[in-house]
Amino acid sequence: MTQLLTQQRKKWLMLLVLSGGISACSQPGETVNTGRNFDRKAMLQQYADNLIRPAYADLQAKVNALNTAATIFAGAPTAANLTAVQTTWTDAYTAWQYANAYNFGPAGEEGIRKGLIEEIGTFPTTTSKVEATIAANNANFNDFNRDARGLPAVEYLIFNSEGSNAQILTSFQLANRRNFLTAATADIKRRVDEVVAGWNTYTNSFVSRNGTDAGSATSELYNEFIRSYESIKNFKVALPLGKRPGQTAAEPARAEGYYSGQSLLFIKNHLTAIENIWYGRSRDGKAGVGFKEYLENVEGGQALVASTEAQLGNVRKALNALPETVPLSQQIRTNPAAVENVLNECQKLTRFFKSDMSSLLGIAITFASGDGD
């Protein structure tokens, strides 16, 4: 009996040793890289200080310049003043490409207000609504007609995709049209000013919510990053190509920047903004901690980083094959295969940004894109 008890004690001791060994081999940071030691708070602070707030501040400055130029033009609709409005609009819309991925917090939905991207960036503009508002001379922008205000609606007013500046100047002899222009730019300015002011107090809350749950800042940032990228694929490329659900043919006039003919300029800047978020890099090139470093701190992350960056290069190569001097709408008509190649390369990148990245970081996709990905 004594010998049997001794043998049982030896077995229990052996099990305890093995159990301790297994436990020791599973400690975070040793054989299994879980990313638990990654400082998400520092990452969020970096995004707030070097990407988000500077993007909105630059947008604010460019929108203020646009509003001033529009006011001057409305008072004196000359060729020189029209050129000034067109230039400041292009500057503002380019700046918008670097801010449109941050539709949360001060730029998020509140009551009947939608995210800033819907309030000032909805395209294509429904021109019949714009013209009806001009005819009634009742532009207040407190309605649900988000496709008849914002930067795209201003573009429709001050550019002519098929005519000349002389025709635009003639149209602005109508006082109602001048009234709409100044009201539209003032509305854009008001909304952007509110977001910039909001971030002055929202930053601390943003940085402190550094978990990965659906209500965290990490989740908000990641989901808006994905939505912003998908807007390039789904709306800036697929929509004018006629590749969205329900479309049966190309619709080049539905391209972003259709009236100014600058679609590719905006797409390329938007892609650069997406790359900057991925790297945690400011617009002026200042390096920081971003999603790339976050992924490198989780198991399997380095392989995903390599795949993602290779495909980012493929998307950029496909975009660069389209001459920027020829409007995208025209290239859709004359060289659709090259434009469709951009869409195909964007589609390949979606898997890495959306499915694989979400899985490795443990951050749920909280929006519905409706594109079958």
Side-chain angles (χ1 to χ4, degrees):
M1 184 70 176
T2 304
Q3 184 178 6
L4 179 61
L5 289 172
T6 301
Q7 289 175 344
Q8 287 178 334
R9 289 192 187 99
K10 286 181 179 179
K11 288 180 180 179
W12 280 109
L13 286 171
M14 183 62 70
L15 286 171
L16 286 171
V17 169
L18 288 172
S19 175
I22 291 170
S23 176
C25 289
S26 300
Q27 292 301 310
E30 294 181 8
T31 61
V32 178
N33 189 355
T34 63
R36 294 176 186 172
N37 296 324
F38 182 77
D39 191 346
R40 282 193 300 270
K41 185 174 182 179
M43 179 185 75
L44 293 172
Q45 189 75 59
Q46 142 76 6
Y47 276 120
D49 293 345
N50 295 327
L51 278 86
I52 302 173
R53 294 183 67 180
Y56 278 128
D58 183 54
L59 177 63
Q60 181 184 46
K62 299 301 195 305
V63 163
N64 287 345
L66 170 62
N67 185 56
T68 298
T71 302
I72 292 172
F73 173 70
T78 66
N81 288 341
L82 175 59
T83 298
V85 178
Q86 291 170 334
T87 299
T88 54
W89 179 88
T90 299
D91 291 344
Y93 207 73
T94 302
W96 170 239
Q97 306 309 311
Y98 293 86
N100 69 23
Y102 308 122
N103 290 281
F104 50 80
E109 296 186 13
E110 183 178 340
I112 64 170
R113 185 195 74 187
K114 289 289 189 178
L116 186 65
I117 192 168
E118 292 184 62
E119 297 290 1
I120 75 167
T122 295
F123 75 90
T125 295
T126 303
T127 59
S128 59
K129 291 183 181 180
V130 173
E131 294 297 346
T133 303
I134 290 172
N137 199 28
N138 64 350
N140 57 39
F141 307 114
N142 293 320
D143 52 31
F144 297 102
N145 295 322
R146 298 179 180 91
D147 55 344
R149 61 173 173 258
L151 290 164
V154 172
E155 180 202 23
Y156 163 68
L157 294 175
I158 64 174
F159 290 97
N160 190 331
S161 62
E162 299 176 354
S164 65
N165 278 358
Q167 292 173 303
I168 298 170
L169 288 170
T170 298
S171 72
F172 273 100
Q173 295 303 309
L174 181 66
N176 287 10
R177 204 170 195 84
R178 299 195 299 273
N179 292 342
F180 184 96
L181 175 65
T182 54
T185 59
D187 182 68
I188 296 166
K189 170 179 162 54
R190 175 182 64 82
R191 295 179 191 275
V192 173
D193 285 348
E194 288 176 355
V195 171
V196 171
W199 267 95
N200 289 335
T201 55
Y202 179 72
T203 300
N204 288 341
S205 171
F206 174 74
V207 173
S208 66
R209 292 181 294 109
N210 62 339
T212 57
D213 58 285
S216 68
T218 314
S219 175
E220 288 178 335
L221 176 64
Y222 171 69
N223 273 274
E224 288 303 317
F225 164 68
I226 299 303
R227 283 219 303 177
S228 185
Y229 168 71
E230 289 206 315
S231 73
I232 298 177
K233 178 190 69 177
N234 293 336
F235 302 115
K236 300 192 176 190
V237 183
L239 181 65
L241 263 177
K243 301 297 183 180
R244 292 293 292 159
Q247 289 183 289
T248 58
E251 299 181 72
R254 301 185 75 180
E256 179 191 42
Y258 171 70
Y259 297 100
S260 63
Q262 300 179 96
S263 305
L264 287 168
L265 169 69
F266 303 135
I267 292 174
K268 289 178 180 179
N269 275 274
H270 193 166
L271 182 61
T272 298
I274 291 297
E275 291 171 335
N276 287 350
I277 297 172
W278 165 258
Y279 289 109
R281 181 179 63 202
S282 67
R283 187 176 175 183
D284 61 6
K286 182 179 179 181
V289 177
F291 283 126
K292 174 185 177 179
E293 286 78 12
Y294 189 3
L295 277 170
E296 288 175 337
N297 280 268
V298 302
E299 190 71 21
Q302 292 187 0
L304 179 55
V305 166
S307 299
T308 301
E309 293 185 345
Q311 189 55 36
L312 267 171
N314 292 336
V315 173
R316 179 67 71 177
K317 183 178 179 181
L319 260 179
N320 288 341
L322 302 178
E324 198 171 299
T325 54
V326 181
L328 178 63
S329 57
Q330 182 177 330
Q331 295 188 60
I332 288 172
R333 297 184 182 98
T334 60
N335 190 18
V339 182
E340 191 159 351
N341 185 48
V342 174
L343 178 60
N344 291 338
E345 296 300 339
C346 285
Q347 183 63 42
K348 293 174 187 176
L349 182 57
T350 300
R351 167 198 160 186
F352 302 130
F353 272 163
K354 195 175 183 181
S355 303
D356 295 356
M357 192 169 166
S358 172
S359 177
L360 288 188
L361 296 182
I363 306 175
I365 299 294
T366 58
F367 69 95
S369 63
D371 62 356
D373 294 326

